[in-house]
């Protein structure tokens, strides 16, 4: 159940035309078309609430200055992964952002984002920063790596 919740939330974020409240309705409809059969009405409402809190979080929105790539595929050291959100800044640096719906396994989350940072740094030869954004019930927490 938790896996389906996380997949639906990630998909809704991916489907947002831009990170704005006005993009929520269309993204929610797309999420429902793909995941509506796996989550109940309360979970749909919770996903929408978490995304609204995310969009109202200034720490998160301040990171969005640049070219935004959602679900960016990378191949690195024979591994194929998807970065939830990759931002290329005007100075050439990059920001890696990974979304999580729980702080369980926080060390694994850090290791995952550090791996993404290493990959992007080696591939681009540019400075890379990394963040884990925890979208929890009524709270957004941004962890800097």
């Amino acid at each position: 159940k938790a896996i389906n919740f996380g997949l639906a939330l990630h998909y809704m974020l991916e489907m947002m035309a831009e990170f704005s409240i006005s993009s929520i309705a269309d993204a929610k409809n797309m999420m429902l078309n793909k995941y509506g059969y796996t989550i109940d009405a309360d979970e749909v409402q919770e996903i929408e609430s978490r995304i609204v809190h995310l969009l109202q979080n200034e720490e998160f929105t301040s990171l969005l200055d640049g070219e935004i790539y959602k679900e960016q595929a990378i191949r690195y050291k024979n591994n194929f992964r998807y970065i939830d959100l990759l931002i290329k800044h005007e100075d050439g640096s990059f920001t890696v952002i990974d979304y999580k719906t729980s702080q369980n396994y926080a060390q694994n989350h850090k290791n995952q984002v550090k791996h993404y940072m290493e990959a992007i740094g080696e591939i681009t030869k540019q400075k890379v920063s990394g963040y884990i954004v925890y979208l929890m019930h009524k709270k957004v927490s941004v962890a800097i790596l």
Side-chain angles (χ1 to χ4, degrees), residues 4-46:
N4 288 334
F5 181 89
L7 289 170
L9 183 139
H10 275 77
Y11 187 75
M12 188 166 159
L13 286 165
E14 181 185 356
M15 293 297 105
M16 293 182 72
E18 58 186 31
F19 287 104
S20 69
I21 299 293
S22 62
S23 293
I24 288 177
D26 287 341
K28 180 180 171 182
N29 286 334
M30 288 183 259
M31 180 269 294
L32 287 170
N33 285 336
K34 186 166 184 171
Y35 291 99
Y37 68 94
T38 66
I39 56 176
D40 62 35
D42 288 341
E43 290 172 312
V44 171
Q45 186 175 5
E46 179 65 19

Side-chain angles (χ1 to χ4, degrees), residues 90-140:
E90 195 172 295
D91 66 0
S93 68
F94 287 86
T95 297
V96 171
I97 298 175
D98 198 58
Y99 306 121
K100 299 295 181 190
T101 56
S102 165
Q103 289 182 313
N104 295 340
Y105 312 108
Q107 189 58 51
N108 291 345
H109 301 160
K110 289 177 186 175
N111 292 341
Q112 177 185 8
V113 173
K114 285 179 182 178
H115 179 79
Y116 294 160
M117 292 168 64
E118 177 186 321
I120 294 299
E122 192 169 311
I123 292 165
T124 67
K125 307 296 187 226
Q126 297 294 323
K127 181 183 171 196
V128 181
S129 57
Y131 298 84
I132 303 169
V133 177
Y134 291 99
L135 291 89
M136 297 172 292
H137 181 69
K138 297 186 179 181
K139 177 183 170 189
V140 171

Side-chain angles (χ1 to χ4, degrees), residues 44-100:
V44 171
Q45 186 175 5
E46 179 65 19
I47 288 170
E48 185 173 1
S49 174
R50 290 185 190 203
I51 290 175
V52 167
H53 284 116
L54 176 69
L55 299 176
Q56 293 171 340
N57 183 284
E58 290 181 17
E59 192 173 4
F60 171 74
T61 58
S62 71
L63 300 173
L64 302 176
D65 185 31
E67 294 177 43
I68 293 175
Y69 302 94
K70 298 175 186 174
E71 294 298 323
Q72 181 63 49
I74 60 166
R75 178 182 282 287
Y76 178 68
K77 293 186 178 178
N78 294 322
N79 289 311
F80 188 73
R81 303 280 174 90
Y82 287 92
I83 297 174
D84 290 340
L85 188 60
L86 180 66
I87 302 163
K88 182 179 182 184
H89 302 286
E90 195 172 295
D91 66 0
S93 68
F94 287 86
T95 297
V96 171
I97 298 175
D98 198 58
Y99 306 121
K100 299 295 181 190

